[in-house]
Amino acid sequence: MVNTEAFIERAVERIKREVKGRAIIAVSGGVDSSVCAMLAYRAIGDLLTPIYIDTGLMRAGETERIRETFKEIGLEIIDAKERFLENLKGITDPEEKRKTIGETFIRIFEEEARKREIRYLIQGTIYPDRIESEGGIKSHHNVGGLPLRIEFERIIEPIDELYKDEVREVARKLKLPTEISERMPFPGPGLAVRIIGEVTEEKLDAVRRANTIVEEELLESYKPWQTFAALLERGTGVKGDVRVHGWIIAVRAVTSRDGMTAEVLQLPWETLQRIESRITREIPNVTRVLYDLTPKPPATIEFE
Ligand code: XMP
């Protein structure tokens, strides 16, 4: 990409040329789909139907921020929180969990497209996604990582020649908020992969609150590639002289160039202690906090 403004102009022209009816896009809150939604709106205005499927697996305040950011382009929020929780009930296997989330997502997306009889799909596939799927590393990158069972007249991928840093540049130029343009990587399956075992409302609430605390303490001060909290199993503790079988929270903070390998951030002891004390004080059912010392490899960045 030589020039960001020229790219934006070309992308808008291309969408105008290729879309000959109503188009749909799934906005996830990540930078890729956000940039595509903005480009598509510039190109076709109200012919665009941007939808956001609220999985209930996002971090605190994320859905509200997305609603606010995309209000003017007419973002529709599909509340699917219960459906995701219901489908995830009893599932403990990490792969099955991911598959269930992807499948639920894609089926809801299809329903929404079908209902509206939309013939054009806009997707935020970027260059590395294309290379990965061509190389057979993962199945063709699609809205939920799975093939759609619905035929679109055309699928348009306006940023499929860009790398992530170029997408961020376009996002800045489009004046997207920094929470989007500079957002650290967040997995598609959301907080579900930061919960070991079955996903329940109670665990989601605890891990969501822990993620907020960890981000507040580390994001600005240490600028890690990624930092988050994961909920492990239960462990025995005492709170107010009472024995409690509470949750164990693991804190993770890593540096990385591309997510393929990662080094653990060497945090000052005082910072770690402050995080521990905030998590155990502010979240009632947490009795233990750990700091993950494992680089990638042998661990992955996420816990599942
Ligand atoms: P792992 O855990 O494999 O993660 O070391 C490498 C990077 O990828 C992110 N990640 C995902 N991103 N969908 C995504 O869009 C996923 O299912 C997913 N799983 C992991 C992870 O946060 C890290 O940045």
Side-chain angles (χ1 to χ4, degrees):
M1 189 176 68
V2 199
N3 174 306
T4 312
E5 262 165 36
F7 170 82
I8 293 174
E9 236 169 75
R10 263 189 290 125
V12 169
E13 283 312 312
R14 182 177 149 201
I15 300 167
K16 266 189 198 162
R17 207 169 47 239
E18 295 186 2
V19 177
K20 299 189 171 61
R22 284 153 58 73
I24 191 165
I25 182 168
V27 174
S28 68
V31 65
D32 305 343
S33 62
S34 298
V35 160
C36 279
M38 286 308 195
L39 292 172
Y41 186 73
R42 277 199 185 187
I44 60 171
D46 291 338
L47 279 178
L48 180 73
T49 299
I51 68 166
Y52 168 83
I53 299 172
D54 183 2
T55 60
L57 306 171
M58 298 298 269
R59 288 167 293 182
E62 223 163 357
T63 297
E64 292 68 29
R65 278 198 301 274
I66 290 163
R67 185 197 304 276
E68 204 42 46
T69 304
F70 295 100
K71 207 165 56 187
E72 62 206 60
I73 75 164
L75 182 71
E76 289 185 42
I77 311 245
I78 315 292
D79 181 357
K81 295 196 279 289
E82 301 229 329
R83 189 155 156 191
F84 276 89
L85 261 187
E86 187 56 36
N87 289 357
L88 284 167
K89 214 172 243 172
I91 296 179
T92 54
D93 179 75
E95 273 312 299
E96 202 184 330
K97 210 189 262 185
R98 278 171 183 275
K99 274 199 197 120
T100 304
I101 294 166
E103 182 86 24
T104 306
F105 191 94
I106 207 86
R107 296 314 153 217
I108 295 173
F109 184 75
E110 283 174 350
E111 285 165 23
E112 297 300 322
R114 244 187 225 122
K115 238 172 23 200
R116 297 174 174 79
E117 299 182 7
I118 299 181
R119 312 293 310 142
Y120 293 86
L121 170 67
I122 296 175
Q123 278 203 138
T125 314
I126 65 172
Y127 188 66
D129 299 332
R130 231 177 59 195
I131 296 307
E132 272 183 41
S133 40
E134 276 167 16
I137 298 167
K138 60 181 179 192
S139 55
H140 183 73
H141 182 86
N142 221 319
V143 186
L146 289 164
L148 285 156
R149 276 199 231 125
I150 182 173
E151 284 289 312
F152 284 98
E153 185 134 343
R154 187 142 199 184
I155 299 175
I156 298 116
E157 300 181 319
I159 56 170
D160 65 348
E161 282 168 16
L162 304 191
Y163 283 96
K164 200 67 159 196
D165 51 336
E166 295 174 320
V167 183
R168 291 193 199 281
E169 240 177 85
V170 176
R172 286 177 211 121
K173 198 58 104 187
L174 291 171
K175 304 241 166 8
L176 278 161
T178 49
E179 295 106 62
I180 289 176
S181 64
E182 318 306 318
R183 189 171 94 144
M184 71 173 157
F186 183 65
L191 296 174
V193 294
R194 296 179 179 172
I195 289 173
I196 304 291
E198 187 183 8
V199 176
T200 64
E201 226 164 341
E202 191 208 342
K203 288 187 188 175
L204 267 172
D205 179 59
V207 82
R208 183 175 288 124
R209 291 165 76 168
N211 269 273
T212 303
I213 295 170
V214 169
E215 285 190 21
E216 281 171 4
E217 295 295 333
L218 300 180
L219 213 47
E220 277 309 305
S221 318
Y222 298 94
K223 308 238 180 302
W225 160 272
Q226 251 175 306
T227 186
F228 59 86
L231 185 146
L232 313 184
E233 288 297 331
R234 286 183 191 272
T236 302
V238 272
K239 272 193 161 178
D241 292 338
V242 186
R243 188 178 278 260
V244 187
H245 207 41
W247 300 115
I248 305 172
I249 292 283
V251 175
R252 191 123 171 89
V254 297
T255 56
S256 176
R257 279 196 54 213
D258 52 11
M260 301 298 283
T261 61
E263 294 299 321
V264 177
L265 221 63
Q266 292 192 29
L267 293 175
W269 190 245
E270 300 70 43
T271 305
L272 288 167
Q273 278 181 318
R274 197 170 51 247
I275 293 172
E276 172 279 311
S277 124
R278 281 197 60 190
I279 290 178
T280 50
R281 269 189 298 114
E282 294 175 27
I283 315 174
N285 45 355
V286 175
T287 44
R288 206 171 285 252
V289 177
L290 317 176
Y291 186 53
D292 188 347
L293 299 179
T294 333
K296 173 183 182 176
T300 51
I301 294 177
E302 302 290 345
F303 276 64
E304 281 201 341

